[in-house]
Amino acid sequence: MGKSIAEVGLEDLCNAGGLRLSIEGAREIYQVITEAIGIAQSNSSDPDPREVWREVVRRRVLKPWHPHQLHQLLYYSVYANWDASTNGPPLYWFPSLSQSKSTNLGHLMEVHGPKLLGTSYKDPIASFSLFQKFSVQHPEVYWSIVLKELSVVFRESPRSILDKSNKSKPSGTWLPGAVVNIAECCLLPSSHPKKQDDSGAIVWREEGCDNLDVNHMTLKELREQVMLVANALDATFSKGDAIAIDMPMTVSAVVIYLAIILGGFVVVSIADSFAATEIATRLRVSNAKAIFTQDFILRGGRKFSLYSRVVEANPYKAIVLPVSGNNVGIQLREQDLSWNEFLSSVNQHPRPNHYTPIYQSTDSVINILFSSGTTGEPKAIPWTQLSPIRCSADGWAHNDIKVGDVYCWPTNLGWVMGPVLLFTCFLNGATLALYHGSPLGHGFGKFVQDAGVTVLGTVPSLVKSWKSTNCLEGLDWTKIKCFATTGEASNVDDDLWLSSKSYYKPVLECCGGTELSSAYIQGSLLQPQAFGAFSTAAMTAGFVILDEHGHSYPDDEVCVGEVGLLPLYLGATDRLLNADHEKVYFKGMPMHNGIRLRRHGDVLKQTVGSYFIVQGRADDTMNLGGIKTSSVEIERVCDRADHSILETAAVSVAPPDGGPEQLIIFAVLKKGVSRQPEKLKMIFSRAIQSNLNPLFKVSFVKIVPEFPRTASNKLLRRVLRDQVKQELFTRSRI
């Protein structure tokens, strides 16, 4: 155990601060530490570490440019004697009452809380948990208020907020009778939130243009570009056609996405990292009539072919954008069109930048996304017009997205965070920030600085890369008011590093699913935050934690178990295109208060103080670098990767100190054949990256004589996973 904060002296501070901390700076920090301990001791003989840390952060003596060792010294010494098993996770961020009242949700609570909660209402911080529970019990009341905060304008108003009469829809029938075009809602000016034609809609920069000004697009410019593309779509396709997008999340990709929905077509989301076989599967399942793509992808100054990979998937038609310049840099198939050829179809249109949207019911499908299950084939998940309402409302409530914010999250329209980011910005009046290039280097960090990003989304592996390469050196991220993170388990020290870059602004965890259109568990700006932990269920989202018998634990009990979601949930799916929705999400789940719970698959740990930590998946779905895949998919590739293989088993586990899951392959060799684990690691990695996803990597391979199995011969991956966990734990203690 290291020193406690009371034992930290000037010499310790100078050693940790190195050349970036003057002796005067060290004395100032030491003085603040002494005063913080005194303040924390005012009500107790033993200083409360939370109060010490709160005061140190409030005084801003720890600077974003100070070495991470100095930040580590103070944070870990403050909590050196902290017992998380009795006190809950150590807290690093605390909301102030004045700040809380200025947030979207805090202001709403101040206006409506006294009426809805009566005398129980105190203020946004003290009453947050009570108000969240109220939103679960009375979702129609919550949504009737929040819908007025979003720029959602119905062509025909809903008859009601919620209709629970259809028992075949356990998620409820939301906004029945409403008719809308959600893309039009993104594009039109509104009085609340205040969006005008000259409001900033998108800011962006091309990789390699770090010293040039960022590019700006107004709401009017965006609307006119979207309408131009929508007219071109009408000239080429039939209403209702499914049209895929497989390209980086550029300004053009955003325009195409909105145009498809504006015109009454359906987007098919495909990530630009997928191998040809994965692209082909998604085109087949969705019955896509065409695909928008690029000729190449530029990353880190290197050019990678995308069109050739798409062509290998054999789409009916491809519309190809140039990665740079005006002309595509590759020969196209006869049936394919260049971007210029596609747009030329409206050359004779009298008003090419004007378009009458197609209005549809709120339960009409606008987007088909994919999420891997345990069967090996990705589930085709339809998003309806309710989905953007759900995710943008969560961004409004939990991340405090509002007019004036610049929101950036390196992602792709092939993953759920792409559409979530897009709709959250445009339905809340925020500006979408896009970097056309790799987010791994200094160029992206400088874009965040120059664009004035106020909310930055990440995945933990990205933060780990920034930290290890020190690529943010010399940059100013202090305009950021909060960070968000999702996709995989966070590492405490990595988040400490990230938070310090903006004077310890909160890193809000969120975890959900494509099929929910949102996160069911989140952080909140109305609650103290702990690194790597969730502080609350999302607004209107309810869940229980189940024991091994399917019984729910009491609300505040410290426990670990599988999550069961309360099914009444605006934005949650009620259908799948290629699987039995009932079987996937409800069959076999226990009842709770007379209602069958919805399956999600996460295993949650509830701590003292009611914080939550995701412990992994209850099934054999794994999460690699923020991408969900299945053991079956990995094993199918590895089984045929080398002639020495009899069978393989794939498991993933998080390191003992937290962080992204690691992929481990167990292998049984054919009789009489030998192979070295390191050799197999290389073979498996190449096979997985070429057949599934180039972002997946194998951490290590274990060769075993046989696999543990049930009496019915089912592979017990859980046993293998437990073996690896024990081995990693033992290694970490050596």
Side-chain angles (χ1 to χ4, degrees):
M1 184 179 293
K3 291 183 176 180
S4 70
I5 190 64
E7 297 169 327
V8 171
L10 269 176
E11 184 178 355
D12 299 309
L13 296 172
C14 290
N15 289 339
L19 297 176
R20 298 203 184 171
L21 184 66
S22 65
I23 185 64
E24 292 80 10
R27 287 196 181 104
E28 182 186 10
I29 294 174
Y30 184 76
Q31 179 66 27
V32 167
I33 291 172
T34 303
E35 292 172 2
I37 292 173
I39 292 170
Q41 275 182 325
S42 59
N43 297 321
S44 170
S45 57
D46 294 322
D48 185 336
R50 294 167 296 194
E51 295 304 317
V52 175
W53 179 252
R54 187 208 290 252
E55 183 64 15
V56 169
V57 169
R58 188 187 71 80
R59 300 281 288 272
R60 288 197 165 198
V61 288
L62 279 173
K63 310 297 184 184
W65 55 87
H66 281 155
H68 185 51
Q69 293 93 321
L70 183 61
H71 292 273
Q72 289 174 311
L73 173 65
L74 266 67
Y75 176 76
Y76 293 118
S77 63
V78 164
Y79 285 108
N81 299 312
W82 184 262
D83 185 350
S85 65
T86 57
N87 299 316
L91 305 177
Y92 73 95
W93 183 83
F94 306 85
S96 72
L97 190 56
S98 61
Q99 286 175 333
S100 74
K101 291 180 179 181
S102 68
T103 64
N104 292 330
L105 189 59
H107 177 70
L108 180 148
M109 290 175 63
E110 284 287 275
V111 172
H112 298 281
K115 179 181 178 182
L116 299 177
L117 301 180
T119 57
S120 298
Y121 182 76
K122 306 302 179 190
D123 60 63
I125 297 175
S127 303
F128 171 77
S129 293
L130 190 62
F131 190 68
Q132 194 281 332
K133 290 176 181 175
F134 175 89
S135 77
V136 176
Q137 295 162 355
H138 306 282
E140 65 280 8
V141 175
Y142 177 82
W143 283 111
S144 68
I145 297 170
V146 171
L147 276 170
K148 296 173 185 174
E149 303 295 329
L150 307 175
S151 60
V152 176
V153 180
F154 296 106
R155 190 72 170 183
E156 295 179 22
S157 298
R159 294 188 301 272
S160 63
I161 296 294
L162 172 62
D163 180 354
K164 295 188 280 189
S165 62
N166 187 346
K167 300 306 179 185
S168 68
K169 289 188 173 184
S171 297
T173 300
W174 295 90
L175 310 180
V179 175
V180 70
N181 185 296
I182 202 67
E184 182 189 45
C185 296
C186 293
L187 299 170
L188 291 181
S190 65
S191 57
H192 184 78
K194 189 174 183 181
K195 294 195 299 181
Q196 299 174 313
D197 273 348
D198 62 354
S199 296
I202 304 177
V203 294
W204 80 97
R205 177 182 279 161
E206 304 286 342
E207 184 177 270
C209 299
D210 300 350
N211 295 320
L212 300 180
D213 290 341
V214 296
N215 303 287
H216 296 263
M217 179 180 285
T218 65
L219 183 65
K220 181 181 179 182
E221 291 168 337
L222 174 63
R223 182 171 66 250
E224 290 182 347
Q225 287 205 25
V226 170
M227 290 185 169
L228 175 70
V229 174
N231 279 312
L233 288 168
D234 274 358
T236 312
F237 301 103
S238 301
K239 294 302 182 186
D241 280 352
I243 304 169
I245 300 176
D246 185 354
M247 58 189 291
M249 192 168 174
T250 61
V251 174
S252 295
V254 170
V255 167
I256 293 165
Y257 183 95
L258 289 171
I260 292 172
I261 297 171
L262 191 74
F265 307 97
V266 178
V267 178
V268 178
S269 292
I270 302 178
D272 62 8
S273 60
F274 276 134
T277 53
E278 294 295 301
I279 299 171
T281 296
R282 286 155 177 78
L283 293 175
R284 172 181 54 80
V285 170
S286 65
N287 192 27
K289 302 303 182 185
I291 184 168
F292 283 89
T293 188
Q294 282 182 183
D295 50 2
F296 298 98
I297 296 175
L298 288 179
R299 284 288 185 271
R302 299 174 63 194
K303 185 184 284 188
F304 302 91
S305 178
L306 178 58
Y307 173 71
S308 61
R309 196 163 9 114
V310 168
V311 165
E312 195 179 336
N314 197 30
Y316 294 127
K317 181 189 290 292
I319 299 164
V320 187
L321 287 77
V323 69
S324 59
N326 294 319
N327 300 308
V328 295
I330 198 167
Q331 182 67 39
L332 303 185
R333 300 180 307 173
E334 185 177 348
Q335 69 265 42
D336 297 337
L337 296 173
S338 71
W339 181 239
N340 286 338
E341 290 171 327
F342 170 72
L343 293 180
S344 69
S345 63
V346 297
N347 283 348
Q348 306 305 315
H349 196 288
R351 303 178 73 198
N353 297 113
H354 292 79
Y355 189 86
T356 302
I358 301 300
Y359 300 101
Q360 302 182 85
S361 65
T362 51
D363 67 350
S364 61
V365 176
I366 60 168
N367 192 179
I368 299 169
L369 296 109
F370 293 87
S371 178
S372 292
T374 56
T375 61
E377 180 167 275
K379 298 190 295 291
I381 298 173
W383 263 32
T384 70
Q385 297 200 92
L386 292 169
S387 305
I389 294 173
R390 176 76 205 200
C391 63
S392 59
D394 277 3
W396 177 91
H398 289 273
N399 299 98
D400 199 40
I401 305 298
K402 59 180 66 175
V403 173
D405 277 326
V406 180
Y407 193 5
C408 181
W409 199 317
T411 185
N412 187 273
L413 288 170
W415 304 119
V416 68
M417 278 314 305
V420 166
L421 175 67
L422 184 157
F423 286 117
T424 300
C425 285
F426 297 147
L427 294 180
N428 284 294
T431 300
L432 171 63
L434 299 173
Y435 184 69
H436 294 183
S438 169
L440 294 173
H442 181 84
F444 172 79
K446 190 171 187 300
F447 168 69
V448 170
Q449 168 191 277
D450 296 349
V453 169
T454 59
V455 181
L456 178 62
T458 68
V459 293
S461 55
L462 187 55
V463 177
K464 189 176 289 293
S465 175
W466 291 336
K467 177 185 165 195
S468 64
T469 60
N470 202 31
C471 66
L472 304 186
E473 185 73 21
L475 297 176
D476 182 357
W477 278 15
T478 55
K479 287 185 179 178
I480 295 173
K481 69 178 187 181
C482 74
F483 300 90
T485 181
T486 192
E488 50 191 342
S490 292
N491 178 278
V492 169
D493 194 64
D494 291 347
D495 278 359
L496 174 72
W497 175 88
L498 180 65
S499 179
S500 74
K501 295 302 171 188
S502 190
Y503 285 108
Y504 287 99
K505 296 302 192 300
V507 182
L508 300 176
E509 299 276 345
C510 51
C511 177
T514 307
E515 73 281 1
L516 299 176
S517 311
S518 64
Y520 73 92
I521 187 171
Q522 304 223 25
S524 171
L525 294 173
L526 303 182
Q527 294 174 299
Q529 297 299 305
F531 290 125
F534 305 81
S535 61
T536 181
M539 298 305 294
T540 76
F543 68 85
V544 295
I545 299 177
L546 304 169
D547 64 19
E548 62 271 24
H549 304 294
H551 302 137
S552 60
Y553 288 100
D555 283 350
D556 299 324
E557 184 172 328
V558 175
C559 59
V560 177
E562 183 178 353
V563 169
L565 300 179
L566 302 187
L568 201 62
Y569 201 110
L570 187 150
T573 55
D574 59 16
R575 70 201 107 156
L576 294 170
L577 299 189
N578 61 341
D580 184 332
H581 190 271
E582 167 72 21
K583 181 179 179 182
V584 170
Y585 295 115
F586 290 96
K587 186 176 180 180
M589 288 298 287
M591 304 291 285
H592 177 76
N593 293 337
I595 302 171
R596 187 163 304 282
L597 295 170
R598 180 179 179 124
R599 180 178 291 105
H600 183 265
D602 283 342
V603 173
L604 279 189
K605 174 183 179 180
Q606 182 167 238
T607 72
V608 172
S610 293
Y611 287 82
F612 303 94
I613 300 171
V614 175
Q615 300 284 287
R617 300 288 296 173
D619 54 22
D620 288 316
T621 298
M622 56 182 71
N623 189 327
L624 304 176
I627 301 170
K628 290 179 181 177
T629 188
S630 70
S631 298
V632 174
E633 286 181 304
I634 300 286
E635 291 158 5
R636 186 178 293 131
V637 171
C638 292
D639 283 349
R640 60 176 187 264
D642 189 76
H643 67 87
S644 66
I645 299 300
L646 179 63
E647 59 178 341
T648 59
V651 299
S652 65
V653 297
D657 61 345
E661 293 179 22
Q662 298 178 352
L663 173 61
I664 296 94
I665 307 295
F666 287 82
V668 177
L669 302 180
K670 293 176 181 176
K671 191 172 182 179
V673 179
S674 65
R675 274 286 186 274
Q676 292 300 313
E678 278 300 311
K679 176 70 173 176
L680 285 178
K681 176 183 173 181
M682 293 173 55
I683 292 171
F684 291 155
S685 291
R686 280 199 300 266
I688 291 168
Q689 288 165 0
S690 62
N691 288 281
L692 291 179
N693 196 305
L695 303 179
F696 294 170
K697 60 181 180 180
V698 178
S699 292
F700 60 91
V701 172
K702 288 183 69 68
I703 297 174
V704 295
E706 61 182 4
F707 293 148
R709 296 185 179 276
T710 65
S712 60
N713 209 39
K714 289 182 179 177
L715 176 60
L716 287 169
R717 294 187 187 87
R718 173 179 49 80
V719 174
L720 298 176
R721 195 178 296 116
D722 290 342
Q723 290 175 6
V724 174
K725 284 182 179 178
Q726 183 59 46
E727 183 175 331
L728 290 177
F729 179 83
T730 303
R731 285 186 194 177
S732 70
R733 293 297 181 268
I734 296 176

